[in-house]
Amino acid sequence: MFDKSGTKPPPASLESIANQFRLTGWIGFWSQIVLGVVSAIVLLLFAVFSQRTGSPSNNPGTGFGIFLAVCGLIALGMSIYCAFRYTRLGRQLRSSNPANRPRKIYTIQVIKFALVVNLVGMLLSLFGAYAIIGTLFARAISPQAIATGIFDPNRIIGGLDILAVQANTNTIFAHFLGLSSALWLLNRINRS
């Protein structure tokens, strides 16, 4: 059936894919926003409080790990944009005018870009986690306190150190959600 403009509504399968794009996009967008904001706040607190003189968290290994974690957060920002882009693609796919609908190849390119962004972000965040955990482990097993018998407060792993690990873990999980969303949408498109 044609409407007044002479265009016909999208087929039911395309309507279903459009709805899945919108739903997946919004779920991915908000879940990644929440995880990203929490991670950013915790890493900001870590950066501020670890720069105080005498802070045990102030060492080069942790600094490099935090740098990689921030790079992972920047990639997460790009992933959040990709999730938002899914919602716009879903809206365009529902258009009654076939000329306004994105082509399948373009839609697949958008999803593949999101896959690459999430893989790179997850890799950066994993390397950041390894650097942070490695410095914490080195601090925990340092023989200095054992050999001298003197209590060294710089060898204690504090709550702020654990929060930095948690922030990085949140970023990794957010990238995992982005990867899952992109793979699910890619699978759904390839089935149609």
Side-chain angles (χ1 to χ4, degrees):
M1 175 178 274
F2 289 96
D3 61 7
K4 294 178 184 177
S5 65
T7 59
K8 60 182 180 179
S13 62
L14 187 59
E15 183 78 26
S16 173
I17 290 174
N19 289 335
Q20 290 172 8
F21 260 84
R22 293 200 61 198
L23 180 64
T24 303
W26 284 122
I27 289 171
F29 177 80
W30 286 111
S31 60
Q32 288 180 328
I33 283 278
V34 168
L35 290 167
V37 166
V38 169
S39 295
I41 290 171
V42 170
L43 287 176
L44 182 65
L45 289 173
F46 182 85
V48 168
F49 289 114
S50 68
Q51 296 304 316
R52 292 194 287 176
T53 55
S55 173
S57 301
N58 193 4
N59 71 41
T62 305
F64 182 66
I66 296 299
F67 170 75
L68 290 174
V70 169
C71 290
L73 276 175
I74 291 169
L76 181 59
M78 293 172 61
S79 176
I80 290 168
Y81 171 75
C82 289
F84 182 73
R85 184 75 182 116
Y86 296 157
T87 65
R88 302 301 98 192
L89 283 172
R91 181 184 291 177
Q92 291 172 345
L93 287 170
R94 295 177 81 184
S95 174
S96 59
N97 185 354
N100 291 340
R101 294 183 202 140
R103 299 185 62 182
K104 184 176 182 178
I105 191 75
Y106 173 75
T107 307
I108 290 174
Q109 286 175 344
V110 169
I111 294 172
K112 285 183 178 181
F113 177 74
L115 283 171
V116 169
V117 165
N118 282 297
L119 282 172
V120 168
M122 187 179 277
L123 183 67
L124 289 169
S125 298
L126 282 170
F127 283 154
Y130 289 139
I132 293 169
I133 291 170
T135 57
L136 294 178
F137 180 72
R139 192 180 334 151
I141 65 167
S142 175
Q144 179 184 5
I146 297 170
T148 61
I150 300 172
F151 176 71
D152 185 6
N154 290 331
R155 300 292 171 213
I156 296 174
I157 296 174
L160 193 58
D161 298 319
I162 301 304
L163 280 177
V165 173
Q166 179 64 41
N168 215 7
T169 306
N170 287 348
T171 306
I172 293 169
F173 183 61
H175 282 295
F176 173 77
L177 291 175
L179 278 171
S180 300
S181 299
L183 287 172
W184 190 79
L185 288 172
L186 189 61
N187 182 34
R188 186 68 183 119
I189 285 178
N190 286 332
R191 273 204 248 153
S192 64

